[in-house]
Amino acid sequence: MKPSLQIAQYKSNLFSQLSVAGKNILELGVGTGPNLKYYASADGVNVIGVDPNIYMEEYSRAAATSAGLPSSNFTFRRGVGEALPAEDGSMDAVIGTLVLCSVKDTDMALREIKRVLKPGGLYLFIEHVAAADGSFLLLVQGALDPLQQFVADGCHLTRKTAENIKEAGFSSLSLNAVRLSSAYIVSPHVYGVAYK
């Protein structure tokens, strides 16, 4: 199965756990808006799409419209995970898919996610992660990591993001580890939900 289809299955499972009607959602690394179709059609949902690349605004707005989200309920803000452009305790959910690999400071980004979440708020995530310690794949990832950062907007292959999320101090965490069948270098992934 293609990696994109496998990730779509994980997203479908993940987003089915999210009740967003009337809620405030921040999507970190909104990019072209591929996740909006999973949650943006709910009544009264307000979405802040955060991305460091200003050129993503046009694409994410088009994806929001296509997903049925009124333009008045979508705000694009240029920003980074380490300094989220949102008030303390203002978000019901933060969504981040394949984004913590590219932030400069993973722990700071997770602190920011917790900061903007309301008590009991959800952080939904899917991330590719480093292979197991001592594995041949980790050796390969380590060798390719500098090139990957250069060609893929700072994406790191060897981050232990699952450990960062576990240590971030969320009140509870549901974390699943999976391997994509046909994406060798980035086959190890984690996905789940963390509660503030």
PDB file of all heavy atoms in Angstrom, residues 1 4 8 23 25 30 54 59-61 71 83-84 96 107 135 157-158:
ATOM      1  N   MET A   1       0.843  -1.184   0.000  1.00  0.00           N
ATOM      2  CA  MET A   1       0.000   0.000   0.000  1.00  0.00           C
ATOM      3  C   MET A   1       0.885   1.244   0.000  1.00  0.00           C
ATOM      4  O   MET A   1       1.899   1.290   0.694  1.00  0.00           O
ATOM      5  CB  MET A   1      -0.895  -0.006   1.244  1.00  0.00           C
ATOM      6  CG  MET A   1      -1.816   1.183   1.322  1.00  0.00           C
ATOM      7  SD  MET A   1      -2.852   1.214   2.804  1.00  0.00           S
ATOM      8  CE  MET A   1      -3.844  -0.221   2.549  1.00  0.00           C
ATOM      9  N   SER A   4       1.054   7.291   1.259  1.00  0.00           N
ATOM     10  CA  SER A   4       0.006   8.314   1.374  1.00  0.00           C
ATOM     11  C   SER A   4      -1.344   7.694   1.738  1.00  0.00           C
ATOM     12  O   SER A   4      -2.123   8.284   2.485  1.00  0.00           O
ATOM     13  CB  SER A   4      -0.105   9.113   0.076  1.00  0.00           C
ATOM     14  OG  SER A   4      -0.404   8.247  -1.010  1.00  0.00           O
ATOM     15  N   ALA A   8      -3.392   8.330   5.158  1.00  0.00           N
ATOM     16  CA  ALA A   8      -4.808   8.720   5.085  1.00  0.00           C
ATOM     17  C   ALA A   8      -5.660   7.852   6.008  1.00  0.00           C
ATOM     18  O   ALA A   8      -6.591   8.347   6.651  1.00  0.00           O
ATOM     19  CB  ALA A   8      -5.309   8.629   3.645  1.00  0.00           C
ATOM     20  N   LYS A  23     -15.942  24.554  17.897  1.00  0.00           N
ATOM     21  CA  LYS A  23     -14.649  24.556  18.584  1.00  0.00           C
ATOM     22  C   LYS A  23     -13.614  25.411  17.844  1.00  0.00           C
ATOM     23  O   LYS A  23     -13.741  25.685  16.655  1.00  0.00           O
ATOM     24  CB  LYS A  23     -14.109  23.122  18.682  1.00  0.00           C
ATOM     25  CG  LYS A  23     -15.024  22.138  19.391  1.00  0.00           C
ATOM     26  CD  LYS A  23     -14.992  22.310  20.887  1.00  0.00           C
ATOM     27  CE  LYS A  23     -15.958  21.410  21.622  1.00  0.00           C
ATOM     28  NZ  LYS A  23     -15.554  20.048  21.781  1.00  0.00           N
ATOM     29  N   ILE A  25      -9.826  25.465  16.607  1.00  0.00           N
ATOM     30  CA  ILE A  25      -8.778  24.530  16.230  1.00  0.00           C
ATOM     31  C   ILE A  25      -7.585  25.318  15.691  1.00  0.00           C
ATOM     32  O   ILE A  25      -7.751  26.243  14.895  1.00  0.00           O
ATOM     33  CB  ILE A  25      -9.255  23.578  15.100  1.00  0.00           C
ATOM     34  CG1 ILE A  25     -10.602  22.970  15.414  1.00  0.00           C
ATOM     35  CG2 ILE A  25      -8.188  22.535  14.783  1.00  0.00           C
ATOM     36  CD1 ILE A  25     -10.625  21.984  16.523  1.00  0.00           C
ATOM     37  N   VAL A  30      -0.059  24.065   8.596  1.00  0.00           N
ATOM     38  CA  VAL A  30      -1.258  23.814   7.787  1.00  0.00           C
ATOM     39  C   VAL A  30      -0.917  23.559   6.324  1.00  0.00           C
ATOM     40  O   VAL A  30      -1.625  22.819   5.636  1.00  0.00           O
ATOM     41  CB  VAL A  30      -2.291  24.959   7.948  1.00  0.00           C
ATOM     42  CG1 VAL A  30      -1.795  26.246   7.301  1.00  0.00           C
ATOM     43  CG2 VAL A  30      -3.650  24.556   7.408  1.00  0.00           C
ATOM     44  N   ILE A  54       4.501  31.882   3.974  1.00  0.00           N
ATOM     45  CA  ILE A  54       3.373  32.759   3.632  1.00  0.00           C
ATOM     46  C   ILE A  54       2.688  32.331   2.335  1.00  0.00           C
ATOM     47  O   ILE A  54       1.498  32.551   2.139  1.00  0.00           O
ATOM     48  CB  ILE A  54       3.820  34.242   3.565  1.00  0.00           C
ATOM     49  CG1 ILE A  54       2.617  35.185   3.517  1.00  0.00           C
ATOM     50  CG2 ILE A  54       4.752  34.481   2.390  1.00  0.00           C
ATOM     51  CD1 ILE A  54       1.783  35.210   4.760  1.00  0.00           C
ATOM     52  N   TYR A  59      -3.213  28.415  -0.810  1.00  0.00           N
ATOM     53  CA  TYR A  59      -3.587  27.005  -0.941  1.00  0.00           C
ATOM     54  C   TYR A  59      -4.443  26.533   0.229  1.00  0.00           C
ATOM     55  O   TYR A  59      -5.422  25.807   0.049  1.00  0.00           O
ATOM     56  CB  TYR A  59      -2.329  26.138  -1.059  1.00  0.00           C
ATOM     57  CG  TYR A  59      -1.480  26.501  -2.243  1.00  0.00           C
ATOM     58  CD1 TYR A  59      -0.278  27.161  -2.071  1.00  0.00           C
ATOM     59  CD2 TYR A  59      -1.895  26.204  -3.535  1.00  0.00           C
ATOM     60  CE1 TYR A  59       0.508  27.515  -3.160  1.00  0.00           C
ATOM     61  CE2 TYR A  59      -1.116  26.537  -4.631  1.00  0.00           C
ATOM     62  CZ  TYR A  59       0.093  27.201  -4.436  1.00  0.00           C
ATOM     63  OH  TYR A  59       0.852  27.545  -5.509  1.00  0.00           O
ATOM     64  N   SER A  60      -4.084  26.953   1.434  1.00  0.00           N
ATOM     65  CA  SER A  60      -4.856  26.516   2.595  1.00  0.00           C
ATOM     66  C   SER A  60      -6.239  27.157   2.595  1.00  0.00           C
ATOM     67  O   SER A  60      -7.223  26.518   2.984  1.00  0.00           O
ATOM     68  CB  SER A  60      -4.113  26.798   3.897  1.00  0.00           C
ATOM     69  OG  SER A  60      -3.832  28.165   4.059  1.00  0.00           O
ATOM     70  N   ARG A  61      -6.346  28.389   2.132  1.00  0.00           N
ATOM     71  CA  ARG A  61      -7.683  29.021   2.030  1.00  0.00           C
ATOM     72  C   ARG A  61      -8.553  28.275   1.015  1.00  0.00           C
ATOM     73  O   ARG A  61      -9.736  28.050   1.249  1.00  0.00           O
ATOM     74  CB  ARG A  61      -7.559  30.488   1.617  1.00  0.00           C
ATOM     75  CG  ARG A  61      -7.092  31.381   2.728  1.00  0.00           C
ATOM     76  CD  ARG A  61      -7.299  32.855   2.424  1.00  0.00           C
ATOM     77  NE  ARG A  61      -6.858  33.641   3.545  1.00  0.00           N
ATOM     78  CZ  ARG A  61      -7.539  33.790   4.673  1.00  0.00           C
ATOM     79  NH1 ARG A  61      -8.701  33.203   4.815  1.00  0.00           N
ATOM     80  NH2 ARG A  61      -7.052  34.522   5.659  1.00  0.00           N
ATOM     81  N   SER A  71     -15.119  31.280   4.837  1.00  0.00           N
ATOM     82  CA  SER A  71     -13.865  32.051   4.905  1.00  0.00           C
ATOM     83  C   SER A  71     -13.769  32.849   6.197  1.00  0.00           C
ATOM     84  O   SER A  71     -12.674  33.083   6.703  1.00  0.00           O
ATOM     85  CB  SER A  71     -13.728  32.967   3.687  1.00  0.00           C
ATOM     86  OG  SER A  71     -14.795  33.883   3.646  1.00  0.00           O
ATOM     87  N   ALA A  83       6.605  29.498  18.673  1.00  0.00           N
ATOM     88  CA  ALA A  83       5.979  30.767  19.086  1.00  0.00           C
ATOM     89  C   ALA A  83       4.615  30.858  18.400  1.00  0.00           C
ATOM     90  O   ALA A  83       4.428  31.635  17.470  1.00  0.00           O
ATOM     91  CB  ALA A  83       6.863  31.948  18.714  1.00  0.00           C
ATOM     92  N   LEU A  84       3.671  30.039  18.857  1.00  0.00           N
ATOM     93  CA  LEU A  84       2.369  29.980  18.194  1.00  0.00           C
ATOM     94  C   LEU A  84       1.607  31.297  18.361  1.00  0.00           C
ATOM     95  O   LEU A  84       1.536  31.839  19.467  1.00  0.00           O
ATOM     96  CB  LEU A  84       1.536  28.821  18.753  1.00  0.00           C
ATOM     97  CG  LEU A  84       2.053  27.432  18.408  1.00  0.00           C
ATOM     98  CD1 LEU A  84       1.221  26.361  19.113  1.00  0.00           C
ATOM     99  CD2 LEU A  84       2.037  27.213  16.905  1.00  0.00           C
ATOM    100  N   GLY A  96      -1.294  18.584  14.351  1.00  0.00           N
ATOM    101  CA  GLY A  96       0.014  18.654  13.713  1.00  0.00           C
ATOM    102  C   GLY A  96       0.324  17.326  13.051  1.00  0.00           C
ATOM    103  O   GLY A  96       0.413  16.309  13.725  1.00  0.00           O
ATOM    104  N   ASP A 107      10.853  20.374  21.790  1.00  0.00           N
ATOM    105  CA  ASP A 107      10.313  20.537  23.142  1.00  0.00           C
ATOM    106  C   ASP A 107       9.623  21.897  23.307  1.00  0.00           C
ATOM    107  O   ASP A 107       8.571  21.994  23.934  1.00  0.00           O
ATOM    108  CB  ASP A 107      11.410  20.365  24.190  1.00  0.00           C
ATOM    109  CG  ASP A 107      11.916  18.923  24.248  1.00  0.00           C
ATOM    110  OD1 ASP A 107      11.120  17.990  24.013  1.00  0.00           O
ATOM    111  OD2 ASP A 107      13.122  18.729  24.519  1.00  0.00           O
ATOM    112  N   SER A 135      19.525  -0.056  15.041  1.00  0.00           N
ATOM    113  CA  SER A 135      19.060  -0.662  13.792  1.00  0.00           C
ATOM    114  C   SER A 135      19.853  -0.125  12.595  1.00  0.00           C
ATOM    115  O   SER A 135      20.406   0.972  12.629  1.00  0.00           O
ATOM    116  CB  SER A 135      17.565  -0.386  13.587  1.00  0.00           C
ATOM    117  OG  SER A 135      17.350   0.992  13.342  1.00  0.00           O
ATOM    118  N   LEU A 157      15.425  13.329  10.043  1.00  0.00           N
ATOM    119  CA  LEU A 157      15.057  11.913   9.984  1.00  0.00           C
ATOM    120  C   LEU A 157      15.254  11.192  11.316  1.00  0.00           C
ATOM    121  O   LEU A 157      14.685  10.127  11.522  1.00  0.00           O
ATOM    122  CB  LEU A 157      15.897  11.199   8.919  1.00  0.00           C
ATOM    123  CG  LEU A 157      15.666  11.632   7.477  1.00  0.00           C
ATOM    124  CD1 LEU A 157      16.710  10.989   6.566  1.00  0.00           C
ATOM    125  CD2 LEU A 157      14.264  11.264   7.029  1.00  0.00           C
ATOM    126  N   THR A 158      16.064  11.752  12.194  1.00  0.00           N
ATOM    127  CA  THR A 158      16.487  11.004  13.379  1.00  0.00           C
ATOM    128  C   THR A 158      15.895  11.533  14.688  1.00  0.00           C
ATOM    129  O   THR A 158      16.429  11.245  15.763  1.00  0.00           O
ATOM    130  CB  THR A 158      18.024  11.011  13.483  1.00  0.00           C
ATOM    131  OG1 THR A 158      18.481  12.376  13.508  1.00  0.00           O
ATOM    132  CG2 THR A 158      18.655  10.270  12.319  1.00  0.00           C
TER     133      THR A 158
END
